[in-house]
């Protein structure tokens, strides 16, 4: 069952607990995958994968207490072991583990105020999910900054506006390449998908991208901004 070394209360303590449990689970699904797989015997009862605050992991039966001391992870991860492709099975366990990690973090954070909860989620969101690690998917922001080279940061994170590109290729081809490069990008405000026909702007602090309309920034206004800070980052910087 899930263990509590000491009940974390602050944002930093909760994030540290989250990251330690996440580390243990990632180890189970990657470096220790053979041991993990062997422990998930389909002939046994409902088994769960736990990550602990000391960065260890455990496959065990769920807690007997009702309600449990902490939220419980997905039950019966062992039953699908032999009925699925191993990679798909591990990815499924990873997705459920991400859900469990978030539930534990917000269980501890139940008494945080609104800004503290936003800060906690921001810290968590800066890390790749367990699923991204197991499925070997790179976080979106890595793709956005892949071609940054040695340019100054201020020149990297600016507007994504294909309408002002000065390339010689036809407009349709330009849009196609741009959408292919940023196709998985989501707006940090509305979670909408990237569209090459819309104006976008990137935050120089958190490196997330936004529809200009979602943060009320026009292409003309963006030209006069040396370092853009999104509303969330501006709020953090203004706090005493």
């Amino acid at each position: 069952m899930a263990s509590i070394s000491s009940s974390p209360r602050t944002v930093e303590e909760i994030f540290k607990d989250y990251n330690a449990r996440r580390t243990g689970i990632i180890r189970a699904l990657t470096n220790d995958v053979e041991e993990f797989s062997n422990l998930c015997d389909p002939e046994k009862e409902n088994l769960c994968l736990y990550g602990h605050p000391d960065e260890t992991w455990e496959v065990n039966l769920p807690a007997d207490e009702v309600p449990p001391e902490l939220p419980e992870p997905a039950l019966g991860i062992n039953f699908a072991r032999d009925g699925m492709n191993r990679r798909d099975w591990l990815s499924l366990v990873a997705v459920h583990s991400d859900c469990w990690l978030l539930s534990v973090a917000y269980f501890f954070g139940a008494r945080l105020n609104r800004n503290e909860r936003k800060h906690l989620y921001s810290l968590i969101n800066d890390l790749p999910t367990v699923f991204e690690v197991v499925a070997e998917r790179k976080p979106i922001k890595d793709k956005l900054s892949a071609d940054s080279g040695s340019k100054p940061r201020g020149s990297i994170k600016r507007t994504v506006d294909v309408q002002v590109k000065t390339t010689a290729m036809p407009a349709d081809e330009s849009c196609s390449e741009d959408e292919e490069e940023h196709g998985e990008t989501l707006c940090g405000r509305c979670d909408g998908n990237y569209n090459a026909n819309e104006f976008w702007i990137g935050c120089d602090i958190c490196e997330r991208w936004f529809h200009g309309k979602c943060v009320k920034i026009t292409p003309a206004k963006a030209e006069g901004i040396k370092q853009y800070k999104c509303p969330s980052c501006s709020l953090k910087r203004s706090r005493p």
Side-chain angles (χ1 to χ4, degrees):
M1 61 177 288
S3 62
I4 308 178
S5 55
S6 61
S7 183
R9 297 182 181 276
T10 67
V11 170
E12 289 72 22
E13 290 171 346
I14 296 171
F15 176 68
K16 182 179 180 181
D17 180 89
Y18 168 90
N19 197 25
R21 295 177 190 274
R22 170 183 169 275
T23 298
I25 288 175
I26 288 175
R27 182 175 293 119
L29 299 179
T30 55
N31 295 346
D32 300 344
V33 67
E34 292 301 328
E35 180 184 356
F36 168 72
S37 180
N38 290 335
L39 289 172
C40 291
D41 186 349
E43 298 300 320
K44 295 182 179 178
E45 297 182 49
N46 288 303
L47 294 177
C48 304
L49 172 61
Y50 296 93
H52 296 307
D54 61 356
E55 300 187 0
T56 60
W57 60 273
E58 177 186 12
V59 172
N60 209 337
L61 296 170
D64 293 328
E65 297 93 342
V66 178
E69 187 176 14
L70 282 178
E72 286 291 304
L75 297 173
I77 58 171
N78 49 315
F79 296 145
R81 188 195 68 179
D82 296 340
M84 296 178 65
N85 173 278
R86 172 180 274 201
R87 186 180 182 85
D88 293 340
W89 173 61
L90 293 174
S91 294
L92 180 63
V93 175
V95 170
H96 282 293
S97 296
D98 281 318
C99 295
W100 176 69
L101 288 169
L102 285 173
S103 69
V104 171
Y106 278 85
F107 175 84
F108 287 135
R111 292 179 175 81
L112 298 177
N113 62 38
R114 180 184 179 190
N115 288 334
E116 288 171 333
R117 290 195 303 272
K118 289 174 68 175
H119 181 41
L120 174 60
Y121 182 76
S122 178
L123 291 172
I124 291 173
N125 202 39
D126 282 341
L127 295 174
T129 63
V130 176
F131 172 72
E132 286 174 333
V133 174
V134 171
E136 298 179 350
R137 292 191 177 186
K138 292 184 178 180
I140 291 172
K141 67 178 184 180
D142 288 348
K143 181 176 291 187
L144 290 174
S145 58
D147 299 324
S148 60
S150 59
K151 296 179 181 179
R153 178 171 180 161
S155 66
I156 301 168
K157 301 297 284 183
R158 195 45 56 222
T159 58
V160 180
D161 187 0
V162 298
Q163 295 177 351
V164 297
K165 285 182 178 290
T166 58
T167 56
M169 65 177 62
D172 290 345
E173 186 177 345
S174 175
C175 290
S176 176
E177 286 196 2
D178 202 63
E179 285 185 342
E180 183 177 342
E181 179 183 359
H182 301 297
E184 296 181 13
T185 303
L186 299 179
C187 174
R189 195 77 165 185
C190 72
D191 288 332
N193 290 321
Y194 176 77
N195 185 332
N197 293 318
E198 294 180 305
F199 171 73
W200 284 62
I201 187 165
C203 176
D204 288 304
I205 305 302
C206 67
E207 298 187 351
R208 291 183 297 169
W209 290 80
F210 303 84
H211 291 111
K213 62 185 179 183
C214 288
V215 290
K216 299 181 180 179
I217 299 291
T218 64
K221 188 175 181 180
E223 290 299 321
I225 300 176
K226 293 183 178 179
Q227 183 185 57
Y228 174 68
K229 290 190 286 188
C230 69
S232 296
C233 291
S234 296
L235 182 62
K236 293 176 189 175
R237 297 286 171 144
S238 63
R239 291 178 61 186

